[in-house]
């Protein structure tokens, strides 16, 4: 939709809404098309970096250890321990939870095989504003 919203007016410019030479309209179209292209390139780099780390693991498994004061997340790439107060929001689906640490940072927690008492413990520790 974004591409259409950009291309249609650009084609209108190129067709003759103006008296400028046609090459100027094509330059304008190229400049306008750079915005979605740049966004696509940035998204692709982020996706490749994230998925590349996951695929580089010999055993793509993460371990979560839930404590009274914090949660520890471990994999062969490393580990981190975060206090419960660090989490800002939770988005819950039947298959997974996205537990946010900030605007652009989150941890994905698969919840399909987690016992209900563990989920109740997590709900008591995580923010309730979602």
């Amino acid at each position: 939709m974004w591409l259409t919203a950009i291309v249609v007016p650009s084609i209108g410019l190129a067709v003759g809404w103006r008296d400028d030479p046609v090459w100027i309209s094509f330059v304008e179209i190229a400049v306008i098309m750079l915005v979605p292209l740049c966004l696509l390139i940035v998204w692709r780099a982020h996706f490749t970096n994230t998925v590349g780390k996951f695929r580089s693991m010999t055993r793509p498994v993460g371990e979560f250890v839930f404590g009274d004061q914090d949660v520890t997340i471990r994999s062969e790439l490393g580990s981190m321990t975060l206090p419960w107060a660090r989490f800002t929001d939770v988005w819950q689906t039947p298959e997974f939870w996205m537990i946010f640490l900030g605007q652009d940072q989150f941890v994905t927690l698969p919840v399909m095989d987690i016992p209900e008492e563990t989920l109740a413990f997590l709900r008591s520790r995580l923010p309730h504003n979602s």
Side-chain angles (χ1 to χ4, degrees), residues 10 25-35:
S10 300
S25 296
F26 287 116
V27 169
E28 290 172 346
I29 291 170
V31 169
I32 291 171
M33 293 302 294
L34 283 177
V35 172

Side-chain angles (χ1 to χ4, degrees), residues 42-54:
V42 168
W43 176 83
R44 178 69 176 147
H46 175 70
F47 178 80
T48 302
N49 183 35
T50 304
V51 173
K53 286 181 183 177
F54 181 75

Side-chain angles (χ1 to χ4, degrees), residues 3-24:
L3 188 59
T4 303
I6 292 171
V7 170
V8 171
S10 300
I11 291 173
L13 287 172
V15 170
W17 284 350
R18 300 174 27 165
D19 293 332
D20 291 335
V22 173
W23 69 270
I24 292 177

Side-chain angles (χ1 to χ4, degrees), residues 101-113:
L101 302 163
Q103 186 175 2
D104 297 327
Q105 296 179 325
F106 62 89
V107 175
T108 305
L109 175 65
V111 294
M112 292 184 351
D113 297 327

